Amino acid sequence: MLATLARVATLRRTGLLSGPGSRRELWTGRPQSDTDNMKPLEGVKILDLTRVLAGPFATMNLGDLGAEVIKVERPGAGDDTRTWGPPFVGTESTYFLSVNRNKKSIAVNIKDPNGVKIIKELAAICDVFVENYVPGKLSALGLGYADIDRIAPHVVYCSITGYGQTGPLCQRAGYDAVASAVSGLMHITGPEDGDPVRPGVAMTDLATGLYACGAIMAGLIQRYKTGKGLFIDCNLLSSQVACLTQVAANYLIARKEAKRWGTAHGSIVPYQAFKTKDGYLVVGAGNNLQFATLCKIMNVPELIDDCKYKTNHLRVQNRKELIRILSARFEEAMTSEWLHRFEGSGIPYGPINNMKNVFAEPQVLHNGLVMEMKHPTVGKISVPVTGMDTPLHTN
């Protein structure tokens, strides 16, 4: 604890804990110079008590937008994902590195009264407090929303949980794979005649992180208008159920149970991956004009006026026969040849890339989706970004 107190004192000296007072409004002024490089959340301070993925992903995105993020970790162990590997770079897991840039970490034992005091002191000069503990755990330690609101009523407090603050599942730990199963995502993911499949990345965690990121920014705007903080309840189950979109609507409105379609789409045909001579190509035809163009490119113009395929509704009804015809055509040529044929056609299409091809993709390079940075212990690393770190330009 003495080491932690010394670290906090160091942070004060470096300006991390400095501020105009406990009542801090969202900073909206313009810098005196270099305005083109100003980031939208510059001047906003975030106290981040989250671990693993959903919370760290949210705060990393806020950091990319200019917020100052203070990440609080357990003494000795740190964030669980520090040990999630291989691969490791030195002693750091690439998993941890992927979602924790733009942060300043400190280790605080929040089970110790002195640790609680430090967290409250930090909260008082921050704009946002983010945590992802099981409901009630931080309240038992004196760090729940009511506790923080008493000392820092300006704070936007975001709680990220597995299932919500109340209800029969609220005390369960929230992990992506389990939440994706309970929410129905895993039921609709996988081969048409195969077993349920976990998505290749933790989409439930990531969607929750994005919802939390947006809610926090909306909370800051509301705080700017009212001068008061607020509580945000964000959880994996609610986020993923909301993301079921048309699949959920099919059931809620038409009582149509969902099923797995592999790479295909339940309501649009053709719209799926097709095997080529040397790989796979995803092609879609969302309207009749696109279908006609597709047929011309694939040299099957007779399908355009075929009574079985004239509308999308008919193509869905006659899916198997149409896909069989198109699949046979696609296997006649290499992926590169199909890419050349579809270029400029207006048809949505693209290859299924492995990671090597993703980061060699010209559009990925053009969009600047890889950022190199210098890590204090492992040296230069590369991480994927959205491009939001690009300076915002004003007219």
Side-chain angles (χ1 to χ4, degrees):
M1 182 54 66
L2 289 175
T4 300
L5 290 170
R7 179 67 185 274
V8 171
T10 300
L11 292 172
R12 282 201 187 93
R13 288 195 297 272
T14 61
L16 178 60
L17 301 189
S18 64
S22 61
R23 289 283 298 177
R24 302 182 70 251
E25 301 298 337
L26 179 62
W27 184 77
T28 58
R30 296 174 65 96
Q32 295 300 309
S33 61
D34 201 21
T35 56
D36 282 350
N37 291 323
M38 183 182 71
K39 291 191 175 183
L41 296 184
E42 192 172 315
V44 172
K45 289 184 178 179
I46 298 173
L47 187 58
D48 179 10
L49 273 69
T50 67
R51 306 91 69 208
V52 187
L53 184 53
F57 186 64
T59 55
M60 180 186 71
N61 278 290
L62 295 168
D64 285 349
L65 291 171
E68 190 172 25
V69 182
I70 308 167
K71 182 177 176 70
V72 178
E73 301 186 60
R74 291 176 298 164
D79 190 314
D80 290 345
T81 60
R82 286 185 180 272
T83 64
W84 286 11
F88 293 94
V89 183
T91 60
E92 299 282 3
S93 77
T94 58
Y95 195 119
F96 177 83
L97 294 174
S98 72
V99 289
N100 283 289
R101 64 177 175 267
N102 292 328
K103 301 177 185 180
K104 302 174 181 179
S105 291
I106 59 173
V108 179
N109 181 6
I110 62 174
K111 295 181 180 179
D112 185 291
N114 288 327
V116 172
K117 183 179 178 181
I118 291 171
I119 297 300
K120 287 183 175 180
E121 184 179 356
L122 287 166
I125 53 89
C126 283
D127 301 281
V128 180
F129 187 111
V130 192
E131 56 90 4
N132 64 346
Y133 286 83
V134 172
K137 186 168 183 178
L138 285 190
S139 294
L141 297 173
L143 294 173
Y145 172 64
D147 304 296
I148 300 301
D149 184 55
R150 276 194 292 271
I151 61 169
H154 64 282
V155 162
V156 174
Y157 189 113
C158 179
S159 176
I160 302 174
T161 61
Y163 302 95
Q165 300 296 313
T166 59
L169 303 182
C170 72
Q171 290 301 304
R172 290 189 186 180
Y175 270 67
D176 173 88
V178 179
S180 70
V182 176
S183 68
L185 176 61
M186 203 176 288
H187 172 73
I188 59 175
T189 306
E192 183 175 357
D193 299 318
D195 294 332
V197 172
R198 175 187 175 274
V201 293
M203 289 309 304
T204 300
D205 268 343
L206 297 175
T208 304
L210 290 175
Y211 273 123
C213 183
I216 288 168
M217 289 192 286
L220 287 170
I221 293 173
Q222 180 169 316
R223 198 275 304 274
Y224 175 67
K225 293 177 179 178
T226 67
K228 298 179 181 179
L230 68 154
F231 179 79
I232 298 170
D233 173 12
C234 198
N235 65 83
L236 304 184
L237 179 65
S238 297
S239 298
Q240 187 53 68
V241 169
C243 287
L244 294 177
T245 57
Q246 93 281 357
V247 176
N250 290 345
Y251 176 77
L252 294 172
I253 298 171
R255 286 294 181 260
K256 181 180 179 181
E257 182 54 79
K259 59 172 288 186
R260 290 181 286 282
W261 286 103
T263 66
H265 194 289
S267 302
I268 305 171
V269 175
Y271 187 12
Q272 65 180 75
F274 292 93
K275 190 175 182 179
T276 66
K277 267 189 175 181
D278 64 339
Y280 292 90
L281 187 73
V282 176
V283 177
N287 56 54
N288 294 334
L289 179 60
Q290 287 183 343
F291 179 69
T293 303
L294 173 70
C295 292
K296 292 173 184 177
I297 292 172
M298 301 192 69
N299 198 27
V300 284
E302 66 275 10
L303 299 181
I304 298 173
D305 295 319
D306 192 311
C307 63
K308 298 191 296 292
Y309 313 127
K310 287 184 70 67
T311 67
N312 180 69
H313 182 70
L314 291 169
R315 292 192 288 273
V316 171
Q317 287 183 334
N318 297 284
R319 175 193 302 268
K320 288 186 177 181
E321 182 180 353
L322 177 58
I323 295 305
R324 179 181 57 78
I325 296 170
L326 296 179
S327 295
R329 284 288 189 182
F330 274 111
E331 289 194 67
E332 294 175 359
M334 308 284 278
T335 302
S336 59
E337 183 175 341
W338 287 118
L339 292 173
H340 177 72
R341 292 188 191 182
F342 280 106
E343 180 66 31
S345 65
I347 299 292
Y349 69 97
I352 294 182
N353 286 330
N354 59 20
M355 292 301 102
K356 180 180 180 180
N357 290 335
V358 168
F359 294 108
E361 172 66 47
Q363 191 66 47
V364 170
L365 299 174
H366 173 79
N367 289 356
L369 302 184
V370 178
M371 180 170 62
E372 291 187 349
M373 59 177 62
K374 187 175 181 181
H375 189 276
T377 62
V378 303
K380 190 169 78 171
I381 61 173
S382 297
V383 293
V385 295
T386 63
M388 290 194 302
D389 61 311
T390 302
L392 301 180
H393 296 282
T394 56
N395 293 326

